[in-house]
Amino acid sequence: MSLLGIQGERETGMDVREGNSMAVQSIANVVKSSLGPQGLDKMLVDETGEVVITNDGATILKLLSIEHPAAKILGDLAQIQDKEVGDGTTSVVILAAELLKRATQLIKNKVHPTTVISGYRLALKEAIKHIKDDLVIKIDSKDTELLRRVAETSLSSKLIGPESKFFSEIVVNAITNAKTMVGNTPKYSVKNVNILKTHGKSVTESRLIDGYAIESTRGGMGMPLTIKNAKIALLDMNLAKFRMPPGVHVVVDDPNKLEDVRQREMDVTKERCRKIIEAGANVIVCSKGIDDLALKYFVEAKCIAIRRCDKADMKRLAAATGAKILITFESKEGKEEEGEEIFNKDCLGEAKEVSEEAINDYNYVFFKQCKNQRAQTILLRGANYLMLDETERSIHDALCAVKRVLESNTLVIGGGCVEVSTSLYLENFARSLGSREQMAINEYAEALNVIPKQLAINAAKDATDLLTKLRYVHGRYLQATTHNEDTEKLKNTGLDLLNGKIRNNYKAGVFEPAISKVKSLKFATEAAITILRIDDLIRIEPEKQQNGPK
């Protein structure tokens, strides 16, 4: 028992700080080698033997079983970056760990934690100001070439990196076609792009389909394969032989009337099908079952009926086609007591074409040119499911990166350019301060160099040599009193990891969303500060179970 009278253990001071720093550093070391275009993949095997191969930081940390409370913050940090930006999850974890490591070293050297925290906050504010004022490039959202380059940069560090040119075109076309207008503001929802995975063939035989596709099939072989100008009904109910609800008993005096009750049960289903068809519906999508009796009526009416459709797919179809999902039929006004049901044709959605296609061993139903939104589907092919899963994660990251550029119309140069320029800017800024925060800002500036350094290490290049050259070029730009065309080229200098040298990354087309860098800095700094503020750790022991009566 501790001095506080708490049943548990207590750690304070530097022991806690060093323990937190080591735990966070060990998590960063797991994902460190997967950063950049030459990064390596991780194989994760769970207790059931299921295998995941990926180099996506958020996926790795999500699947790791992290027990240390401070290290869990890094896992949450990667998830937030993935949710907010979609890309840059590995770099944000590495940066947060480096910031914490350097802050812990300062506190060891008798600098008060409050001074370090205020220095980090000031450094963050100045770093964002420098990025927005000097490094951000404004673009036109119609410039598809730049958008393709952003997608290529995102995909270059993935498994499908060698095919990044092929997939970047699919990604840009998919996200630009899925544009919706909210007032006068264009919005690009990644949810409007459905990704389907089909095992077989090579990844380069993946394709983009203008429309929404679901993995399903027609309810009956007698139904048409294609319907033009489709009117779509979405039903979240059973279209089966009508049954009385539980607890309802029908008392029959005359045995001859028993057949009438059975016939009426069949007639209810028949009337429901007839009302759906009479309302103009020729494509019926049902989340539950459709029995053979109901299918017979739809086959006769030359409709397509799809049963047991996934709820998530139904919601997306409702948004795309303008249909309403019905959980029951409406009652006719003034006829409730008679129980007469109606099907309102205003609940129907529209699409130019609905068709079924067989791809490999799977059947897909395509809803093309929907009424409300231009939903898109990327159909991925691949040699195995491990590759398909990783390709899906890569495509999702690229879609998010392009979406952020389209919505903000801003991007920055990649390849360590932003980090080195910001690091030098903060060093100059620190020298202009006379307070103790100068030390924390210097350490913050040094921590930013971990990204280009790790990029070079993962590419098996001389990190010290490349970083020195890069800092020299960016130093010349920051020292220049007047900025002309020649000095502007200096600020676009980044790493060429294939050839092990520095180059103009604007010409090379290495671009990233500006918001990705800004959010990375914000999230990493906040995570480091959150852990820095901890100076006491109390572990409560579980209560011992008292023995019951013997």
Side-chain angles (χ1 to χ4, degrees):
M1 189 178 283
S2 71
L3 294 171
L4 290 171
I6 296 168
Q7 197 75 28
E9 298 173 12
R10 185 183 178 199
E11 285 180 59
T12 56
M14 277 315 296
D15 290 341
V16 177
R17 296 189 191 283
E18 285 180 352
N20 288 345
S21 182
M22 282 175 65
V24 166
Q25 206 62 43
S26 64
I27 293 293
N29 288 339
V30 171
V31 295
K32 204 175 257 189
S33 61
S34 64
L35 180 71
Q38 307 295 318
L40 304 173
D41 289 359
K42 309 288 176 195
M43 180 187 278
L44 300 136
V45 186
D46 66 10
E47 63 273 8
T48 62
E50 192 174 332
V51 178
V52 175
I53 298 172
T54 182
N55 71 349
D56 180 54
T59 307
I60 294 166
L61 294 180
K62 190 177 180 181
L63 296 172
L64 285 180
S65 181
I66 303 170
E67 290 184 3
H68 195 282
K72 278 182 183 175
I73 293 172
L74 278 205
D76 297 339
L77 173 67
Q79 301 310 317
I80 291 168
Q81 177 77 6
D82 193 43
K83 189 179 174 184
E84 289 282 321
V85 183
D87 204 8
T89 51
T90 307
S91 55
V92 77
V93 170
I94 294 169
L95 184 56
E98 189 68 18
L99 286 170
L100 186 63
K101 178 181 156 190
R102 291 180 175 277
T104 307
Q105 198 59 46
L106 277 177
I107 295 166
K108 249 188 193 176
N109 296 337
K110 307 297 180 191
V111 179
H112 197 277
T114 307
T115 306
V116 177
I117 289 167
S118 62
Y120 271 17
R121 288 199 192 280
L122 187 56
L124 172 66
K125 187 180 169 187
E126 287 299 318
I128 290 170
K129 179 174 172 285
H130 172 62
I131 291 169
K132 287 184 175 176
D133 292 350
D134 296 336
L135 302 177
V136 161
I137 300 165
K138 296 275 184 187
I139 67 153
D140 181 6
S141 59
K142 292 175 185 173
D143 190 345
T144 52
E145 184 55 38
L146 276 179
L147 295 175
R148 270 201 289 272
R149 294 288 192 175
V150 171
E152 274 181 49
T153 305
S154 176
L155 293 168
S156 64
S157 62
K158 310 292 184 186
L159 184 73
I160 52 173
E163 310 298 340
S164 59
K165 281 195 174 175
F166 170 76
F167 279 106
S168 64
E169 195 153 332
I170 288 177
V171 164
V172 171
N173 289 341
I175 200 73
T176 49
N177 288 346
K179 180 171 83 169
T180 52
M181 297 300 290
V182 179
N184 294 325
T185 312
K187 290 286 177 187
Y188 301 86
S189 176
V190 174
K191 285 183 179 177
N192 287 348
V193 182
N194 189 25
I195 300 174
L196 289 175
K197 300 171 286 187
T198 304
H199 175 250
K201 296 195 176 180
S202 74
V203 286
T204 51
E205 288 180 73
S206 302
R207 59 191 173 105
L208 176 67
I209 296 147
D210 185 11
Y212 195 84
I214 59 173
E215 190 179 326
S216 193
T217 183
R218 296 164 297 149
M221 288 297 104
M223 293 176 180
L225 280 167
T226 304
I227 287 181
K228 304 276 186 186
N229 299 320
K231 301 280 186 185
I232 300 152
L234 302 179
L235 308 174
D236 186 12
M237 65 174 91
N238 264 316
L239 272 180
K241 186 180 172 184
F242 183 79
R243 302 269 181 206
M244 286 292 182
V248 176
H249 299 284
V250 180
V251 179
V252 181
D253 298 329
D254 186 357
N256 296 326
K257 289 186 178 176
L258 194 60
E259 190 56 39
D260 294 341
V261 173
R262 289 185 186 137
Q263 187 59 44
R264 180 62 193 145
E265 283 180 344
M266 288 193 283
D267 288 347
V268 169
T269 307
K270 181 181 178 181
E271 282 169 19
R272 284 182 170 181
C273 296
R274 183 174 56 78
K275 279 168 184 172
I276 293 168
I277 295 161
E278 282 177 359
N282 49 19
V283 176
I284 296 89
V285 182
C286 189
S287 65
K288 295 177 183 173
I290 304 176
D291 70 3
D292 293 341
L293 179 70
L295 285 175
K296 172 178 167 285
Y297 300 126
F298 292 133
V299 169
E300 286 170 358
K302 290 190 168 42
C303 297
I304 289 179
I306 301 159
R307 52 186 164 186
R308 296 184 184 87
C309 174
D310 188 60
K311 286 271 184 77
D313 284 332
M314 280 193 78
K315 284 177 182 173
R316 288 184 186 177
L317 279 174
T321 62
K324 290 178 186 171
I325 300 173
L326 297 179
I327 57 170
T328 183
F329 281 73
E330 295 177 33
S331 292
K332 200 168 183 181
E333 286 183 21
K335 296 270 186 180
E336 287 89 343
E337 67 282 353
E338 295 177 24
E340 188 173 336
E341 295 175 325
I342 59 166
F343 186 90
N344 194 337
K345 65 179 180 182
D346 294 337
C347 298
L348 297 176
E350 291 176 28
K352 273 280 171 69
E353 185 184 312
V354 175
S355 61
E356 184 187 311
E357 279 184 50
I359 298 166
N360 205 20
D361 296 333
Y362 301 93
N363 288 326
Y364 295 98
V365 178
F366 296 98
F367 296 79
K368 296 177 182 174
Q369 296 180 35
C370 301
K371 176 186 171 185
N372 280 8
Q373 297 172 357
R374 286 194 65 190
Q376 302 287 294
T377 299
I378 298 173
L379 187 65
L380 296 178
R381 307 304 303 267
N384 56 55
Y385 288 110
L386 294 173
M387 188 172 184
L388 283 170
D389 289 341
E390 180 60 4
T391 305
E392 183 187 13
R393 286 189 284 269
S394 307
I395 294 287
H396 178 266
D397 284 2
L399 285 168
C400 290
V402 176
K403 164 198 161 86
R404 293 298 176 191
V405 171
L406 282 166
E407 288 182 352
S408 63
N409 290 332
T410 56
L411 47 79
V412 291
I413 306 297
C417 167
V418 172
E419 287 81 7
V420 170
S421 179
T422 308
S423 172
L424 288 166
Y425 175 81
L426 288 177
E427 283 176 17
N428 293 338
F429 172 70
R431 282 194 289 272
S432 68
L433 295 177
S435 60
R436 277 190 167 196
E437 278 85 358
Q438 183 191 66
M439 297 159 76
I441 293 169
N442 267 325
E443 291 299 327
Y444 193 101
E446 276 297 313
L448 290 174
N449 290 326
V450 74
I451 301 295
K453 199 181 285 182
Q454 195 60 46
L455 285 170
I457 290 167
N458 289 351
K461 306 297 178 194
D462 187 338
T464 310
D465 179 49
L466 282 174
L467 190 58
T468 308
K469 287 177 181 174
L470 200 53
R471 283 174 65 83
Y472 167 71
V473 172
H474 281 281
R476 279 177 57 200
Y477 169 74
L478 291 171
Q479 286 168 5
T481 49
T482 56
H483 292 301
N484 52 35
E485 199 175 321
D486 292 331
T487 55
E488 283 297 316
K489 284 178 185 174
L490 297 176
K491 77 168 183 179
N492 296 332
T493 308
L495 297 172
D496 176 6
L497 296 170
L498 287 174
N499 302 311
K501 58 184 184 181
I502 60 171
R503 65 178 176 189
N504 185 337
N505 270 354
Y506 185 91
K507 279 188 179 176
V510 181
F511 300 116
E512 294 181 60
I515 194 169
S516 174
K517 292 295 178 193
V518 172
K519 293 267 187 188
S520 286
L521 285 175
K522 279 184 179 176
F523 293 151
T525 309
E526 286 302 325
I529 287 171
T530 302
I531 300 169
L532 267 180
R533 293 172 71 92
I534 300 164
D535 75 333
D536 219 327
L537 175 64
I538 300 166
R539 292 181 193 272
I540 306 294
E541 288 177 1
E543 286 185 23
K544 290 178 181 175
Q545 294 288 329
Q546 291 183 352
N547 293 326
K550 290 182 181 178

